[in-house]
Each structure stands twice: as C-alpha cells, then as structure tokens.
C-alpha cells in the first residue's frame, strides 16, 4: 500500500475452491462420499428450482473480478488485493462445505469431509495468514467435534468461523438452544469471531420459482431480512447474555433496516413480551457484541452509524460478487463515507479498526 492509501480490511470477500480441489484433501473413501453428497444436494436444489437454471455471476455483469485468478489462487489473490490497496480480507468459500459434509449426505465420512474442506481453506490462507483470513466452517451436528475442530483450526491461525445460519433446516435446535453453549464458550474463550452469513432457506425457493425478473431480483432481495431470525435467537434467546464476550458478525445483511428492527425489538421489551434471562435492551446487546458488514450503502451506513455508533460496522469488498468495489475500493470508501457524513476518526474504525480488533490483527 502506498503512503497515501487508507488502511482497508474487508470483513466479507469470497474465494472459489472447486470440488476437485477440495477432494485433493480427502481420502479415496471420503472422495466418493463427497461426490455422492454433491450429487444428492444438486439434485435436491434442481428439484427446488423446478427446472430453472441456477443464477450465475454472468447473469448480472461480465465481472472483471470473477475472471481474476485471485478468485481461485492465493498468490494471485494477494496481488489482486495489492491492486485494490486492501490490507486483509475475511474469505468465505463459494462451496458450502458444511452443507455437503452432513451425516445424512456423507454418512460416517462427514467429519473427515469437513476437516478436508477446512484444510483446503487453511492452505489458501497459509500464503499469508495475516492477510487471508478464512472463515472456517463449523458443523453443529456434534458439538464435541465442532470444539475439536475449533482447537485444530486455532493451531492453523484461525481468526473466524462460519456457522450454519439456520440449523433448524438440518433438524438441529435453533441457535438460542443451550445445546450449543459449550461451543459458544470455547469460541468466547479463544476470542474467535462467529460469522453469521446471510443464506437462503428452503422456503425461499418458492420465491425463486415464481420470480419473473431476469436476475431473480425478488429472490435475492428478500433473503437478507431472513437474518432477523438469527438476530432474535442470539439476543432474545439470551445467548449473548450468557456469553458477554462472544462476537457475532452479521455478513451481508443490508444496513438500512437494522435500526428499525432493533428499535422494534427494544419496544417488545416494554409490550408484555417476556424474554427470560435477557437483561439489556436488544439494541444494547447489538452494540456490545454484534457487527454488520456492508459494501456500498451510504444511506444505510448513515442510519446505522446514527443508531449504533461506529463499532458495529465493518466495511467489505464482497469480491468478486456483483456488488464488489474492486479494484476501486479506495475511491469507493472516500465517496461513500463522504455521502454518509461520517468523520475521519470513525471512518477508520469502520473500514479497518473494528475488523482488526475482531479478527486479532
């Protein structure tokens, strides 16, 4: 980075590791189970799409970023980041390892499949673990195994983990259930941030099937607010009260609706609703322990800054998705924060300081 560049850390960027690449970290038996899981998962999604083809990034725009080798290769990724003058990125895999490495899809090989997937991520990060911060995926089927995986990944310099946003989709308890408490306790103790990425649910496929717009703009628009359920389980289910130092980052939620929604939850505390164990207002838990990532959303940024202050916000590039600002992140930051009216000191916290603290940089 040159002396004039702003220090930037992206809390949400993406890499693509193919099934063939991931299978390089699996034994022969586990490779076969992975292929079977992929076939079953893909057939299920095809049925849910009712024959309509899946969305591709080319449906939105011919993205320069999606063609950049940094999407696939760690050495090239560092060059892409240098071109964008971004110091570090939290990286999410396009392949959902925890969605394939499930007991009902991989049988007794699911744990080995998940470890191999995380090993592939770790090898990507190993090129520079201070700049390439992988969000390693944790399954929730076996909390003892999840804790073992946390400990194993800590030895590989892990800074963040990604969990399934809606475990009830897989027949598991909701995020507020005490079943997960030993895992939250270990992550709190280790100071590892939980990345709660937006995701679709099975019922969203009904919206997909009936969406008449070319890029499924209705389908993609409604997914973000689904993270409301996660917020409620973290806060109203008293999880953040039980674990006051646990850090949860909401990834790609959109910002504009958050002040309204947290205000609504605050009002619930005074409207005859009971939330056992919840001692603070929901907005206070949000300020204390949660954060939200964003790309280019000056109005939502201004609204969240006014409602919550600077410490709950983390800028991101979303490389290489359609919303990405790569390779013009420095200009985008200057323009967006000027439009949002955020002072320089707080801008620095939002574009790098909060992420540096959350991910122990």
């Amino acid at each position: 980075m040159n002396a004039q560049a702003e220090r930037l850390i992206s809390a949400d960027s993406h890499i693509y590791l193919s099934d063939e690449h991931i299978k390089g970290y699996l034994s022969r038996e586990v490779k076969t189970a992975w292929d079977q899981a992929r076939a079953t998962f893909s057939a299920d999604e095809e049925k849910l799409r009712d024959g309509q083809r899946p969305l591709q990034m080319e449906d939105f725009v011919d993205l320069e970023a999606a063609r950049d080798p940094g999407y696939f290769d760690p050495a090239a990724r560092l060059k892409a980041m240098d071109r964008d003058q971004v110091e570090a990125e939290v990286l999410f895999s396009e392949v959902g390892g925890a969605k394939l490495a499930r007991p009902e899809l991989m049988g007794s090989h699911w744990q080995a499949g998940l470890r191999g997937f995380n090993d592939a991520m770790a090898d990507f990060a190993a090129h520079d673990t201070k700049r390439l911060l992988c969000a390693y995926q944790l399954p929730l089927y076996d909390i003892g195994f999840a804790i073992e995986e946390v400990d194993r990944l800590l030895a590989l310099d892990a800074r963040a983990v990604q969990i399934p946003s809606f475990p009830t989709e897989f027949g598991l308890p909701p995020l507020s259930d005490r079943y997960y408490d030993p895992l939250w306790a270990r992550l709190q103790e280790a100071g590892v941030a939980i990345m709660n990425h937006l995701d679709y649910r099975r019922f969203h496929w009904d919206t997909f099937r009936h969406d008449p717009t070319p890029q499924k703009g209705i389908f993609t628009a409604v997914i973000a607010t689904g993270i409301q359920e996660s917020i409620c389980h973290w806060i109203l289910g008293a999880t953040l009260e039980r674990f006051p130092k646990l850090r949860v980052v909401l990834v790609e939620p959109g910002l504009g609706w958050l002040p309204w929604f947290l205000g609504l939850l605050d009002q619930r505390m005074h409207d005859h609703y009971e939330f056992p164990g919840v001692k603070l207002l929901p907005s206070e838990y949000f300020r204390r322990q949660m954060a939200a990532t964003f790309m280019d959303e000056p109005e939502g940024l201004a609204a969240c800054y006014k409602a919550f202050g600077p410490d709950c916000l983390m800028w991101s590039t979303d490389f290489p998705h359609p919303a990405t600002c790569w390779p013009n992140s420095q200009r985008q930051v200057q323009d967006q924060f000027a439009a949002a009216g955020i002072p320089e000191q707080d801008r620095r916290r939002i574009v790098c300081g909060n992420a540096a603290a959350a991910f122990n940089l």
Side-chain angles (χ1 to χ4, degrees):
M1 295 178 63
N2 65 49
Q4 303 302 315
E6 178 125 30
R7 186 190 185 202
L8 301 178
I9 297 173
S10 170
D12 171 38
S13 300
H14 299 266
I15 57 175
Y16 183 82
L17 302 178
S18 69
D19 280 346
E20 290 305 311
H21 180 89
I22 293 166
K23 287 190 295 183
Y25 295 83
L26 307 178
S27 70
R28 180 182 301 176
E29 294 81 5
V30 181
K31 286 179 186 177
T32 299
W34 184 276
D35 285 338
Q36 292 171 344
R38 170 61 73 190
T40 302
F41 183 86
S42 297
D44 181 52
E45 285 212 336
E46 184 174 0
K47 182 179 179 181
L48 291 168
R49 291 195 310 271
D50 195 25
Q52 299 184 48
R53 73 182 186 88
L55 289 172
Q56 305 292 335
M57 279 192 283
E58 291 77 10
D59 294 330
F60 298 91
V61 64
D62 185 20
L63 281 176
E64 178 184 5
R67 298 194 307 271
D68 190 277
Y71 191 24
F72 315 90
D73 177 77
R77 182 51 162 265
L78 292 170
K79 292 179 181 179
M81 292 163 62
D82 288 342
R83 180 181 174 191
D84 202 25
Q85 296 182 298
V86 170
E87 178 180 316
E89 294 183 329
V90 179
L91 303 174
F92 293 85
S93 170
E94 305 286 22
V95 175
K99 289 187 176 183
L100 294 184
R102 290 154 47 191
E104 66 269 31
L105 294 182
M106 292 189 68
S108 62
H109 298 298
W110 73 271
Q111 293 182 349
L114 195 282
R115 280 194 297 266
F117 170 84
N118 280 333
D119 285 342
M121 294 277 284
D123 267 4
F124 197 102
H127 279 70
D128 191 333
T129 58
K130 297 296 190 296
R131 299 188 68 192
L132 303 174
L133 314 177
C134 286
Y136 296 100
Q137 296 191 12
L138 291 183
L140 301 177
Y141 300 100
D142 181 329
I143 298 304
F145 171 73
I147 293 171
E148 290 176 4
E149 189 66 0
V150 168
D151 290 336
R152 190 179 75 89
L153 294 169
L154 284 171
L156 301 175
D157 207 16
R159 314 300 181 90
V161 295
Q162 182 183 2
I163 60 165
S165 296
F166 306 108
T168 55
E169 293 272 291
F170 309 111
L172 293 166
L175 288 172
S176 55
D177 197 280
R178 288 180 178 269
Y179 163 78
Y180 303 110
D181 280 7
L183 176 59
W184 306 151
R186 183 67 188 103
L187 291 169
Q188 175 178 258
E189 177 187 29
V192 175
I194 297 175
M195 312 304 287
N196 197 152
H197 201 294
L198 94 165
D199 203 354
Y200 55 82
R201 304 190 67 174
R202 289 185 72 86
F203 66 76
H204 284 127
W205 289 110
D206 184 67
T207 305
F208 182 95
R209 291 191 300 271
H210 296 99
D211 187 343
T213 65
Q215 291 89 18
K216 300 298 182 182
I218 298 172
F219 169 75
T220 56
V222 301
I223 290 174
T225 53
I227 210 165
Q228 291 174 356
E229 181 177 335
S230 299
I231 294 172
C232 288
H233 279 290
W234 287 118
I235 295 176
L236 300 181
T239 305
L240 298 187
E241 174 62 34
R242 295 196 301 275
F243 301 97
K245 294 184 179 180
L246 193 65
R247 185 70 166 169
V248 178
V249 181
L250 307 174
V251 184
E252 297 187 32
L255 296 183
W257 60 273
L258 286 172
W260 164 81
F261 185 65
L262 270 296
L264 177 66
L265 297 187
D266 283 355
Q267 188 60 43
R268 288 286 191 271
M269 301 293 288
H270 306 291
D271 283 349
H272 312 295
Y273 289 85
E274 295 181 5
F275 301 105
V278 178
K279 299 178 181 179
L280 306 176
L281 289 174
S283 61
E284 293 177 302
Y285 288 108
F286 188 84
R287 289 189 190 93
R288 187 177 79 179
Q289 292 175 253
M290 303 188 88
T293 74
F294 66 97
M295 286 80 79
D296 188 5
E297 193 182 341
E299 291 183 359
L301 174 60
C304 277
Y305 176 77
K306 180 179 179 181
F308 308 121
D311 295 336
C312 298
L313 296 163
M314 294 184 184
W315 171 86
S316 67
T317 69
D318 201 30
F319 177 99
H321 291 174
T324 188
C325 52
W326 183 92
N328 302 303
S329 292
Q330 291 285 332
R331 173 62 63 85
Q332 184 253 39
V333 163
Q334 292 295 329
D335 293 347
Q336 178 177 194
F337 279 76
I342 295 177
E344 179 181 355
Q345 180 177 352
D346 287 340
R347 183 187 71 218
R348 288 198 298 268
R349 292 161 76 175
I350 294 169
V351 300
C352 66
N354 294 337
F359 308 120
N360 300 311
L361 291 176

